[in-house]
Amino acid sequence: MTRRRQIYEGKAKILYEGPEPGTIVQYFKDDATAGNGAKKGIITGKGVLNNRISEYLMLKIGEIGIPTHFIKRLNMREQLVKTVEIIPLEVVVRNIAAGSISKRLGIEEGTRLPRSIVEFYLKNDELNDPIVSEEHISAFDWATPQEMDEITAYTFRINDFLSGLFLGIGIQLVDFKLEFGRVWENDEMHVVLADEISPDNCRFWDVQSGEKLDKDRFRRDLGKVEEAYQEVARRLGIFPEMNSSETNTETSNGKGLESI
Ligand code: TMP
């Protein structure tokens, strides 16, 4: 790790300069935070699982024609991605009411929304990522109207695609958060999906039992946090040898995930 220049350390990931210009290495940590850093902890093996889950979902999203920053997975905790200029928005899609929309609008958690709703939040930890409207976004030039059209269209397509993919493995995609970035290729700028898609930034509920299979287990002290992340990976067919009843990042052959 000393070989490379660290560009940025976030709550769940570290970014290093990549081997070639225009590339970055994303390192996935086990660190977990909630409430904008108010609650801190470690979810053992989370980085390994999120690296694999995000790789899987980014590749699938790429296959339906949506450009992403993902290039390839390098090892258990790292992936190579394109350098992007992050658009300073968190794009949240909601299918079922949960979390902040339930609190803000008094909608009981679990209520199916009349249609999928997209919300935009400004990426600014000091301000606690406030919700913003497209009026704010265009007035302050955080993204152009053309970029917003593209982001919104990509977001709804990703939601339709992922909702179906997860329903096929018995999981309801309740809501999730996306980030987008700008890349320049052949003197042209375009928008690509960036960051990660994992149980850290999605709400996944088991269709049968309603059990939460995401970071809400950590946020709300529900226990079995690692197991929930493992279960999502197992259902996606990642680490098929993994048994969901295992209580740590050991696989059924007794080896730690890091050694696979
Ligand atoms: P919320 O209900 O807390 O607004 O969260 C909506 C979705 O967005 C949920 O799946 C978690 C995700 N999310 C993030 O990934 N990062 C964040 O900073 C926040 C606030 C939410």
Side-chain angles (χ1 to χ4, degrees), residues 137-176:
I137 294 166
S138 77
F140 296 113
D141 213 16
W142 294 320
T144 67
Q146 291 76 12
E147 286 171 338
M148 290 307 290
D149 287 348
E150 211 161 21
I151 287 171
T152 305
Y154 285 159
T155 298
F156 278 118
R157 277 174 62 201
I158 292 167
N159 183 45
D160 285 347
F161 174 70
L162 291 185
S163 293
L165 186 152
F166 280 103
L167 210 51
I169 54 170
I171 291 174
Q172 265 186 326
L173 181 60
V174 172
D175 57 34
F176 60 102

Side-chain angles (χ1 to χ4, degrees), residues 6-20:
Q6 183 175 314
I7 296 170
Y8 172 79
E9 177 157 8
K11 295 182 199 120
K13 291 189 290 295
I14 305 173
L15 303 183
Y16 296 99
E17 208 167 54
E20 280 144 35

Side-chain angles (χ1 to χ4, degrees), residues 14 18 73 82 94 98 103 130 169 185-186 192 194 202 221 225:
I14 305 173
R73 188 169 60 81
K82 291 179 189 170
R94 302 179 187 273
K103 279 207 201 89
I169 54 170
E185 270 163 2
N186 307 321
V192 303
C202 301
D221 294 319
V225 186

Side-chain angles (χ1 to χ4, degrees), residues 37-239:
K39 179 180 163 86
K40 288 196 175 84
I42 299 276
I43 303 174
T44 310
K46 173 173 84 79
V48 176
L49 290 161
N50 282 359
N51 187 22
R52 290 296 291 261
I53 293 169
S54 196
E55 170 195 23
Y56 180 89
L57 296 175
M58 287 279 177
L59 286 174
K60 289 279 181 199
I61 288 167
E63 282 170 17
I64 63 162
I66 294 173
T68 81
H69 72 158
F70 184 83
I71 301 173
K72 65 174 178 182
R73 188 169 60 81
L74 297 171
N75 55 49
M76 294 310 290
R77 284 185 184 269
E78 294 178 332
Q79 49 182 244
L80 189 68
V81 299
K82 291 179 189 170
T83 307
V84 305
E85 179 185 294
I86 281 285
I87 293 170
L89 299 173
E90 303 209 334
V91 182
V92 170
V93 197
R94 302 179 187 273
N95 299 307
I96 295 170
S100 70
I101 197 173
S102 291
K103 279 207 201 89
R104 192 173 345 107
L105 303 181
I107 306 170
E108 193 184 344
E109 200 159 275
T111 308
R112 180 156 285 278
L113 297 168
R115 60 179 178 82
S116 303
I117 294 172
V118 174
E119 297 170 340
F120 303 101
Y121 295 81
L122 180 65
K123 262 174 78 69
N124 184 323
D125 283 345
E126 277 171 35
L127 300 176
N128 254 323
D129 296 347
I131 192 164
V132 291
S133 71
E134 289 198 53
E135 276 289 286
H136 297 111
I137 294 166
S138 77
F140 296 113
D141 213 16
W142 294 320
T144 67
Q146 291 76 12
E147 286 171 338
M148 290 307 290
D149 287 348
E150 211 161 21
I151 287 171
T152 305
Y154 285 159
T155 298
F156 278 118
R157 277 174 62 201
I158 292 167
N159 183 45
D160 285 347
F161 174 70
L162 291 185
S163 293
L165 186 152
F166 280 103
L167 210 51
I169 54 170
I171 291 174
Q172 265 186 326
L173 181 60
V174 172
D175 57 34
F176 60 102
K177 186 262 295 180
L178 300 174
E179 293 187 26
F180 292 88
R182 303 179 179 104
V183 289
W184 277 262
E185 270 163 2
N186 307 321
D187 283 343
E188 273 183 31
M189 196 276 292
H190 61 120
V191 168
V192 303
L193 179 65
D195 194 47
E196 67 173 286
I197 307 179
S198 72
D200 268 10
N201 42 43
C202 301
R203 283 195 175 93
F204 296 131
W205 293 355
D206 181 75
V207 169
Q208 297 293 329
S209 64
E211 191 187 2
K212 296 185 197 314
L213 298 172
D214 56 63
K215 199 169 137 188
D216 269 352
R217 300 204 72 85
F218 170 79
R219 293 186 190 101
R220 302 179 186 190
D221 294 319
L222 300 175
K224 295 198 172 176
V225 186
E226 293 95 329
E227 288 86 338
Y229 283 64
Q230 286 173 11
E231 178 63 12
V232 173
R234 191 189 65 78
R235 290 197 200 180
L236 286 171
I238 303 166
F239 302 132

